[in-house]
Amino acid sequence: MSNKKVGCGCIGCSIPLVVFITILVVIISLSVFGFMKGGLANRDNIDKAFINELDIKLPAEVIFNIGPLPITNTIITTWISMAILILIAFFFTRKPKLILGKMQNVMEMIIEWFFNFCKDVAGDQNARRFFPVVMTIFLLVIVNSLTNLIPGYNSISVPTTEGSVHLLRGANTDINTALSLSIISFVCVTYWGLQSQKFGFFKQFINVGRLAKGGKKLFTGKAKSALGDIGFGIIDVFVGFLELLSYLIRLISFTFRLFGNMLGGEILVLILFYLLVFVGFGGIQVIYIFEMLVGVIQGLIFGGLTLVFATLAVTPHEEEEHS
Amino acid sequence: MEGLGISLSTLIVQIVNFIILAVILTFLLYKPVLKMLDERPRKIRESLEEAQKIKDQAAQAEEGFKLKLEAASREGQEVISKAMRTGEEVRQKALQEAKRESQLLVEKARVEIQRERVETANELKKEFADLAVVAAEKIIGKSLDKETHRQIIDNVLEESSSLKKK
């Protein structure tokens, strides 16, 4: 009796189980072939032979032109990400209630968590100022990288005038996306710094105060202390120059951190699919899940660093030294 | 630069994309959510305060109720004792009334008896006098003047009764 019951249970279970396994198989096969024919791989090589030579193409492919503007596949994926975010936002705010549904709860939890993070770093007043930009960077990077991991997402190809190209390609794997985000971050940080400190903002780069004081002392005749001041003044100027350099280099580091991580992740998954025999599905799935994590972490890093730099930019430099 | 795929047009499009997204999300998502987040602690605090107020009110009402109950019970007690007192009074009064009435009745009876007795005595006296006259007539053999006899006998009786009284 009990045996029969167990058997029944198994059969009862097995229909959803079969569906689940089917979906899993479809996803896995899609992910294998999707990535092999994926956004970065050169289509010709795969068509000719299964494994010939990995030829990674970095520039995004142009799908069509709107007037003089070439629309690449990464722009299309950015639009998709935007559409997803805007739709979520729309459904979230359609009925904003004080007592929430489940979906609203999740969205609100994310926003609340990130807002509290902003508050912890920048304080309430500044958090409200930085929040829209930082949060949007965070969300866009995450949605970009997660949609990129949808199996089959970037294996759709369309015919164009330049032969068949991929319709979709992870937006973060295009350097233009990363660069645009870092330019925005950079411009916003500079703007906030100027807004808060006026020209005091530049003081951290051009730090000649002590040098001038030393010079004045030299004229009034206190040679000994004048020399010390001049010495430190020169160091100050040099430090200011370094600050300026690191400030400018941020633009590049931001860009390549995101771009490198995302591109590297995709190439890693791609290569692992070619090494399927050696690493097995398990190995690929581990890396795949890891890539999901990387996407979220990159979003957090990009947003968080923007936030931190913005906070540093609006805090007066002298005050910081004294405290 | 070519190898990396940096192109000015894509860059500009992406920047514009980001600005559009930031603006839309700011008005559609961040502002309402932040407003709600700001509002919620206030709402919670308000409702808690409200609850506290209602609780206080209930406690107060209960206190008032208790006081009233006590007063009512005291009042009832008073009414009962007063009623008992009144009842006692009424009883006493009735008792006295009854006593007096009975005494009166007894007195009246006594007077009546006395009167009856006197009447009977008088009657007896008169009878007796008549009898005596008849007897004397018989003895003497001659009729006496009735009126005179009566007078005499009455005098005798008067005397005897006064003697007896002495």
Short mmCIF file of all heavy atoms in Angstrom, two decimals, chain A residues 207-219 222-238:
data_model
loop_
_atom_site.label_atom_id
_atom_site.label_comp_id
_atom_site.label_asym_id
_atom_site.label_seq_id
_atom_site.Cartn_x
_atom_site.Cartn_y
_atom_site.Cartn_z
N ASN A 207 47.76 73.27 -5.06
CA ASN A 207 47.96 73.49 -3.64
C ASN A 207 49.21 74.31 -3.41
O ASN A 207 50.26 73.80 -3.05
CB ASN A 207 48.07 72.12 -2.96
CG ASN A 207 47.65 72.21 -1.53
OD1 ASN A 207 47.57 73.29 -0.97
ND2 ASN A 207 47.40 71.07 -0.92
N VAL A 208 49.09 75.65 -3.64
CA VAL A 208 50.29 76.49 -3.59
C VAL A 208 50.31 77.36 -2.34
O VAL A 208 51.20 78.20 -2.18
CB VAL A 208 50.40 77.40 -4.84
CG1 VAL A 208 50.68 76.56 -6.06
CG2 VAL A 208 49.14 78.23 -5.00
N GLY A 209 49.35 77.18 -1.45
CA GLY A 209 49.24 78.04 -0.27
C GLY A 209 50.52 78.09 0.55
O GLY A 209 51.03 79.17 0.85
N ARG A 210 51.05 76.92 0.87
CA ARG A 210 52.22 76.86 1.74
C ARG A 210 53.45 77.44 1.04
O ARG A 210 54.27 78.13 1.63
CB ARG A 210 52.47 75.41 2.14
CG ARG A 210 53.36 75.29 3.34
CD ARG A 210 52.71 74.60 4.51
NE ARG A 210 52.41 73.21 4.20
CZ ARG A 210 52.61 72.21 5.07
NH1 ARG A 210 53.13 72.46 6.26
NH2 ARG A 210 52.28 70.99 4.75
N LEU A 211 53.55 77.20 -0.26
CA LEU A 211 54.68 77.72 -1.05
C LEU A 211 54.67 79.24 -1.01
O LEU A 211 55.70 79.88 -0.78
CB LEU A 211 54.56 77.22 -2.48
CG LEU A 211 55.81 77.36 -3.36
CD1 LEU A 211 56.93 76.50 -2.81
CD2 LEU A 211 55.48 76.95 -4.80
N ALA A 212 53.48 79.82 -1.19
CA ALA A 212 53.37 81.28 -1.18
C ALA A 212 53.75 81.83 0.19
O ALA A 212 54.45 82.85 0.29
CB ALA A 212 51.94 81.69 -1.53
N LYS A 213 53.30 81.12 1.23
CA LYS A 213 53.61 81.57 2.58
C LYS A 213 55.13 81.55 2.80
O LYS A 213 55.72 82.50 3.35
CB LYS A 213 52.93 80.64 3.60
CG LYS A 213 52.61 81.31 4.91
CD LYS A 213 51.64 80.47 5.72
CE LYS A 213 52.40 79.45 6.55
NZ LYS A 213 51.50 78.57 7.32
N GLY A 214 55.77 80.47 2.30
CA GLY A 214 57.22 80.36 2.41
C GLY A 214 57.91 81.51 1.71
O GLY A 214 58.86 82.11 2.23
N GLY A 215 57.40 81.83 0.51
CA GLY A 215 57.98 82.92 -0.26
C GLY A 215 57.89 84.24 0.49
O GLY A 215 58.85 85.01 0.57
N LYS A 216 56.71 84.46 1.11
CA LYS A 216 56.49 85.70 1.86
C LYS A 216 57.47 85.78 3.03
O LYS A 216 58.08 86.81 3.30
CB LYS A 216 55.07 85.70 2.39
CG LYS A 216 54.46 87.11 2.31
CD LYS A 216 53.18 87.24 2.86
CE LYS A 216 51.88 87.13 2.90
NZ LYS A 216 50.78 86.94 3.47
N LYS A 217 57.64 84.64 3.70
CA LYS A 217 58.56 84.61 4.84
C LYS A 217 59.99 84.90 4.40
O LYS A 217 60.75 85.54 5.10
CB LYS A 217 58.49 83.24 5.52
CG LYS A 217 57.36 83.16 6.52
CD LYS A 217 57.37 81.83 7.20
CE LYS A 217 56.18 81.69 8.14
NZ LYS A 217 56.03 80.31 8.58
N LEU A 218 60.32 84.44 3.22
CA LEU A 218 61.66 84.65 2.69
C LEU A 218 61.91 86.15 2.53
O LEU A 218 62.98 86.66 2.85
CB LEU A 218 61.79 83.95 1.34
CG LEU A 218 63.21 83.66 0.85
CD1 LEU A 218 63.89 82.68 1.80
CD2 LEU A 218 63.18 83.10 -0.56
N PHE A 219 60.89 86.86 2.09
CA PHE A 219 61.05 88.31 1.89
C PHE A 219 61.10 89.04 3.21
O PHE A 219 61.81 90.02 3.36
CB PHE A 219 59.89 88.86 1.04
CG PHE A 219 60.15 88.63 -0.43
CD1 PHE A 219 59.35 87.79 -1.18
CD2 PHE A 219 61.22 89.29 -1.06
CE1 PHE A 219 59.59 87.57 -2.52
CE2 PHE A 219 61.45 89.07 -2.40
CZ PHE A 219 60.65 88.21 -3.14
N LYS A 222 62.56 85.67 7.60
CA LYS A 222 62.69 84.49 8.47
C LYS A 222 63.12 83.31 7.60
O LYS A 222 62.30 82.48 7.19
CB LYS A 222 61.36 84.20 9.16
CG LYS A 222 60.95 85.28 10.12
CD LYS A 222 59.56 84.97 10.63
CE LYS A 222 58.89 86.24 11.08
NZ LYS A 222 57.44 86.09 11.09
N ALA A 223 64.40 83.27 7.35
CA ALA A 223 64.90 82.35 6.34
C ALA A 223 64.68 80.89 6.72
O ALA A 223 64.34 80.07 5.88
CB ALA A 223 66.37 82.62 6.08
N LYS A 224 64.86 80.61 8.03
CA LYS A 224 64.87 79.20 8.44
C LYS A 224 63.48 78.56 8.24
O LYS A 224 63.35 77.50 7.62
CB LYS A 224 65.27 79.09 9.90
CG LYS A 224 65.84 77.73 10.22
CD LYS A 224 66.40 77.70 11.63
CE LYS A 224 66.88 76.29 11.99
NZ LYS A 224 67.22 76.18 13.40
N SER A 225 62.47 79.22 8.80
CA SER A 225 61.12 78.67 8.65
C SER A 225 60.64 78.77 7.20
O SER A 225 59.86 77.97 6.73
CB SER A 225 60.15 79.37 9.59
OG SER A 225 60.01 80.71 9.22
N ALA A 226 61.16 79.81 6.50
CA ALA A 226 60.79 79.98 5.09
C ALA A 226 61.21 78.76 4.29
O ALA A 226 60.47 78.25 3.45
CB ALA A 226 61.40 81.25 4.53
N LEU A 227 62.41 78.28 4.57
CA LEU A 227 62.92 77.13 3.82
C LEU A 227 62.04 75.90 4.02
O LEU A 227 61.71 75.20 3.07
CB LEU A 227 64.36 76.84 4.26
CG LEU A 227 65.44 77.65 3.53
CD1 LEU A 227 66.81 77.25 4.06
CD2 LEU A 227 65.37 77.44 2.02
N GLY A 228 61.67 75.69 5.30
CA GLY A 228 60.79 74.55 5.60
C GLY A 228 59.48 74.65 4.86
O GLY A 228 59.02 73.69 4.22
N ASP A 229 58.91 75.85 4.90
CA ASP A 229 57.63 76.04 4.22
C ASP A 229 57.75 75.82 2.72
O ASP A 229 56.86 75.23 2.10
CB ASP A 229 57.09 77.45 4.50
CG ASP A 229 56.17 77.44 5.71
OD1 ASP A 229 55.83 76.31 6.14
OD2 ASP A 229 55.81 78.50 6.20
N ILE A 230 58.83 76.32 2.18
CA ILE A 230 59.01 76.16 0.73
C ILE A 230 59.15 74.69 0.38
O ILE A 230 58.55 74.18 -0.57
CB ILE A 230 60.23 76.98 0.24
CG1 ILE A 230 59.87 78.47 0.26
CG2 ILE A 230 60.64 76.55 -1.17
CD1 ILE A 230 61.01 79.39 -0.07
N GLY A 231 59.92 73.98 1.21
CA GLY A 231 60.09 72.54 0.98
C GLY A 231 58.76 71.80 0.98
O GLY A 231 58.43 71.07 0.04
N PHE A 232 58.00 72.05 2.06
CA PHE A 232 56.69 71.38 2.14
C PHE A 232 55.74 71.87 1.05
O PHE A 232 54.90 71.12 0.57
CB PHE A 232 56.07 71.59 3.53
CG PHE A 232 56.64 70.65 4.55
CD1 PHE A 232 57.42 71.12 5.59
CD2 PHE A 232 56.41 69.28 4.44
CE1 PHE A 232 57.95 70.24 6.52
CE2 PHE A 232 56.93 68.41 5.37
CZ PHE A 232 57.72 68.88 6.42
N GLY A 233 55.91 73.15 0.71
CA GLY A 233 55.08 73.73 -0.34
C GLY A 233 55.26 73.00 -1.65
O GLY A 233 54.31 72.71 -2.36
N ILE A 234 56.52 72.70 -1.95
CA ILE A 234 56.80 71.98 -3.20
C ILE A 234 56.15 70.60 -3.17
O ILE A 234 55.53 70.15 -4.14
CB ILE A 234 58.33 71.88 -3.43
CG1 ILE A 234 58.87 73.27 -3.76
CG2 ILE A 234 58.65 70.90 -4.55
CD1 ILE A 234 60.37 73.36 -3.76
N ILE A 235 56.26 69.96 -1.97
CA ILE A 235 55.62 68.64 -1.84
C ILE A 235 54.11 68.76 -2.04
O ILE A 235 53.49 67.94 -2.73
CB ILE A 235 55.94 68.03 -0.46
CG1 ILE A 235 57.42 67.68 -0.40
CG2 ILE A 235 55.10 66.79 -0.21
CD1 ILE A 235 57.89 67.24 0.94
N ASP A 236 53.55 69.83 -1.45
CA ASP A 236 52.11 70.05 -1.60
C ASP A 236 51.71 70.17 -3.07
O ASP A 236 50.71 69.60 -3.50
CB ASP A 236 51.68 71.34 -0.87
CG ASP A 236 51.45 71.05 0.61
OD1 ASP A 236 51.55 69.87 1.00
OD2 ASP A 236 51.18 72.01 1.35
N VAL A 237 52.50 70.94 -3.79
CA VAL A 237 52.19 71.14 -5.20
C VAL A 237 52.24 69.81 -5.94
O VAL A 237 51.37 69.47 -6.74
CB VAL A 237 53.19 72.14 -5.83
CG1 VAL A 237 53.04 72.15 -7.36
CG2 VAL A 237 52.96 73.52 -5.28
N PHE A 238 53.26 69.02 -5.58
CA PHE A 238 53.42 67.72 -6.23
C PHE A 238 52.23 66.81 -5.90
O PHE A 238 51.68 66.13 -6.77
CB PHE A 238 54.73 67.09 -5.77
CG PHE A 238 55.01 65.78 -6.44
CD1 PHE A 238 55.25 65.74 -7.82
CD2 PHE A 238 55.03 64.59 -5.72
CE1 PHE A 238 55.49 64.55 -8.45
CE2 PHE A 238 55.27 63.39 -6.36
CZ PHE A 238 55.51 63.36 -7.72
#
